[in-house]
Amino acid sequence: MEIKKGVAVSPGISIARSLTIDSEDYRIPRRPIEPSQRQAEVGRVKNAFRDAIDELTKLEAAQDRTQEGRIRDIFAVHLHFLRDRGLHKKIGDLIRSEKVQAEYAVSAVLREIASHFSKAKDVYISERAADIRDIERRLLKQLLGKKREDVGRLTEEVVIVARELSPTQTAGFDRRFVKGLATDAGGRTSHTAIVARSLGIPAVVALEDLTEVVGAESTVIVDGNRGIVIVNPDEQTIRQYEQYSREFAELKSRLDAIRGEPAVTRDGVRITLLGNIEFPDEAELVLDKGGEGIGLYRTEFLYLNRETEPTEEEHYHAYAQTIAVFRNRPVIIRTMDLGADKYTQSRRFAPEPNPFLGLRSIRFCLQNLTMFKTQLRAILRASVQGDVRIMFPLITNLQEIKQTRFILHDVMEDLHEESIRYNKNIPIGIMIETPSAALTAASLARDVDFFSIGTNDLTQYTLAVDRGNELVSTLYSSADPAVLRLIRMVCQDANKAQIETSICGEMASDPEFIMLLLGMGIRTISLAHPMLPEIKQIIRTVTMEECNGVARKVLKMNSERQISSFLRNAARKILPEAF
Ligand code: PEP
Ligand code: MG
C-alpha cells in the first residue's frame, strides 16, 4: 500500500482498478530486470515491432488510394523505421547491457533518435522527430497492452491514472465507467480539473510520480476531498474508505434536498447562484442542482476535439439549447478563450514560448476576426431568445474593450442590414483576470455593464504561478493577500460605478472562501454544478454580519498561511460534514 498526497480538485471518493493512459509525453520508469529476464524482454520488443508493423500495414491498406496520398507516405516512413534492423539491435543491446525493461529501452533509444533529428538544420529531417515520437507511442502501446489507450470503450469501472490529461481528453470520458482521475501534473484550477469537477468525477492532481508507482491493474483509491491517492490499499483501508464514501453520498443527498430553496443568508440577504458550463447539455444539470442561470459558459470547448472550426449554425444551436433551459434567467456567454492550455485538436496555432502570456483569449480573437465575428453573430442571433449577456475574457486594458465593442457593433450592423433580429441592448461584461484589469477597474467599469472576476487567472497572473504546473502548486493560492486586495478593489470600484460584479473562478466553489467573498461585497457567484448545493447550504447558514467580520479580519492579515487556516476553521465550524 502506498499513500500519495496531491491536490484535491474534484470532491468525492472512488475505489476502482487503475487504468494508466498514455499522454503525449508519457514517461517510462526505468525498472531493472534480472539477468535471466533479458532474453524474454528482447523477445517482447521483437513482438511489439511485429505487431506494430502489422497494424500499420493494415492501416496503410485501408487508406483511400486517391485522396490520402500524404497519409500513406507517412505510414511508409513509419514502416521503414520499424523495419530497420539497426534500430532493433540498438534496443536489444540496451536491454542486455543495462538490464532494463523493454518499455524503457524502446523509449530511451527512440527519444535519443528524436532528439538528434530535432536538432538537424534540414527541416525535412528535423520534422521526422515527430514521426519517431509517434513510432515510440505505437510500440509502447503494443508493449503496455492496448487496454491502456482504449478509454473510449470501457466495460468496467476504472480510475484513470495519467501523467497529465488535456481538458478535451477529460471531457470525452465515459461517466459510467470513469470513477476517478489521478494525475502527476496539474493544479486546482487547471482546465482538466475544472472539467473533472463539471463531470462530478472525484479527482486528485499534482501527484508528481504516481504513474511510476501504479503498476498494471493496481487497485486505487481517489480521495477527492482530502487530495489523497492510495495505491493497492489493504482491506482495512478499503473498508474505511467505503464508509467515507457512504457518508459523503449521504451528505450530498441531504444537500440536494435544498435545491429548491433560495440562497439567502440567515439575516435575509439574497445571493444569486449561477452555474459554470463547458457544454450546453450541462445547463440541465445546473438547473437540477438549483442554479438560477449560467454565469460562465466556456464556449471555447466548442472548438476543442475537432478538426474544423464550428460553423455559425453550430454556435447558434449550442447557445439556443442553453438559453432554452433557463428562458428568461441570465445566460452569460463568454467568447472563446482559446490559447494557453486550450488548443484545438489540429493545433493550428504555432507553439508559443509562453502561451499563458501569449496570443490567448481576447487577444487571439482580435487577431482572428473572421472566426470571432462568426461567434459574435451566433450570440447576437441567440440573444433574442432569453436574458443573454456577452462576456469577454482576459481584458487587460481599455483599448481592448473599445476594439471589441467596435467589432461587436460591426456585426450588429451586418445583422441589421440582413434584417436579422438581435438584442441591441445586450449587456456587455468583461472578466477581471489580470492585475492590470483589477487595478484599472474604476475606469474599465465606465465602458461595460458588468464584471466577473476570474480568480483562476487572477491568482496565476498576480502571483506569477502557472495554474497547471504541479512543481509550483503550493505557491498557487487565491488566499494570498495580494489576490484578496485586488478582489476587494474590484468589488469597491464596481460598487462605486454601480455595475454588478460576480465571481466565476474556482474560488467560488470552495466552501472555505464563501463567507469572505460575501463579506467583500460579492452577491453573485458562479460555479460548477456539483458544488451548488454545498455552497448554498453555507450561504443559508451564515449571517452577513458574520461574513463582514470574516472579511474585516482577513483583509488585515498579511500571510497566506494565516488567512487559509483562519478561513478553514471558520468554514469547518459552519459545515463540518463537508470536510
Ligand atoms: C478564471 O480564470 O477564473 C476563469 C473563470 O476562466 P478560466 O478558468 O476558463 O480561465
Ligand atoms: Mg480565465
Side-chain angles (χ1 to χ4, degrees), residues 189-191 194 276 278 296 298 300-301 334 337 340-342 356 360-361 391 393-394 431-433 452-461 467 476 503-507 526:
T189 65
S190 61
H191 286 98
I194 289 170
N276 290 354
E278 285 75 42
L296 170 65
R298 291 185 165 97
E300 58 277 8
F301 279 81
R334 174 176 82 180
D337 184 17
D341 59 344
K342 287 179 288 197
F356 276 98
R360 168 183 183 197
S361 256
M391 178 158 80
L394 206 79
M431 293 194 65
I432 303 288
E433 310 189 84
S452 188
I453 309 178
T455 51
N456 306 336
D457 277 318
L458 185 61
T459 304
Q460 151 168 274
Y461 292 124
R467 60 195 264 190
Y476 183 97
I503 291 258
C504 66
E506 299 314 299
M507 209 176 167
S526 189

Side-chain angles (χ1 to χ4, degrees), residues 519-571:
M520 287 199 292
I522 294 289
R523 295 290 178 269
T524 303
I525 297 180
S526 189
L527 58 143
H529 65 86
M531 290 299 289
L532 279 166
E534 196 167 326
I535 298 302
K536 187 190 280 181
Q537 176 63 8
I538 292 181
I539 293 168
R540 289 172 59 81
T541 316
V542 299
T543 63
M544 215 46 173
E545 203 183 317
E546 288 167 340
C547 296
N548 291 340
V550 165
R552 252 193 321 273
K553 280 198 187 123
V554 163
L555 288 165
K556 282 197 197 118
M557 295 179 185
N558 291 315
S559 102
E560 186 276 333
R561 276 196 171 192
Q562 193 189 5
I563 295 172
S564 285
S565 105
F566 176 82
L567 291 178
R568 200 171 308 128
N569 289 336

Side-chain angles (χ1 to χ4, degrees), residues 143-285:
L143 284 165
L144 296 165
K146 292 194 179 62
K147 278 205 290 293
R148 299 174 71 100
E149 282 219 322
D150 254 358
V151 216
R153 267 172 284 140
L154 293 171
T155 49
E156 58 172 329
E157 296 187 347
V158 292
V159 163
I160 299 281
V161 174
R163 158 98 196 108
E164 65 184 325
L165 294 166
S166 71
T168 332
Q169 260 178 316
T170 311
F173 289 146
D174 185 339
R175 270 297 287 114
R176 286 171 305 162
F177 299 112
V178 175
K179 293 292 157 194
L181 302 177
T183 63
D184 292 352
R188 181 173 158 77
T189 65
S190 61
H191 286 98
T192 302
I194 289 170
V195 175
R197 231 173 351 263
S198 287
L199 295 174
I201 304 177
V204 180
V205 302
L207 290 150
E208 292 185 348
D209 62 349
L210 180 74
T211 47
E212 293 176 22
V213 173
V214 173
E217 314 218 345
S218 306
T219 297
V220 173
I221 296 176
V222 175
D223 179 345
N225 299 340
R226 297 170 192 81
I228 289 170
V229 168
I230 305 174
V231 183
N232 292 326
D234 56 29
E235 270 307 310
Q236 192 192 343
T237 310
I238 291 180
R239 273 200 300 278
Q240 185 187 15
Y241 267 91
E242 283 169 347
Q243 174 66 16
Y244 285 157
S245 177
R246 274 192 296 276
E247 284 166 9
F248 188 69
E250 276 163 27
L251 170 70
K252 281 187 84 123
S253 68
R254 242 185 316 127
L255 292 179
D256 277 356
I258 61 159
R259 65 170 181 260
E261 304 292 326
V264 57
T265 60
R266 273 192 7 250
D267 48 355
V269 177
R270 182 74 166 83
I271 306 298
T272 306
L273 278 185
L274 306 173
N276 290 354
I277 60 168
E278 285 75 42
F279 300 97
D281 52 9
E282 285 177 90
E284 287 280 0
L285 303 173

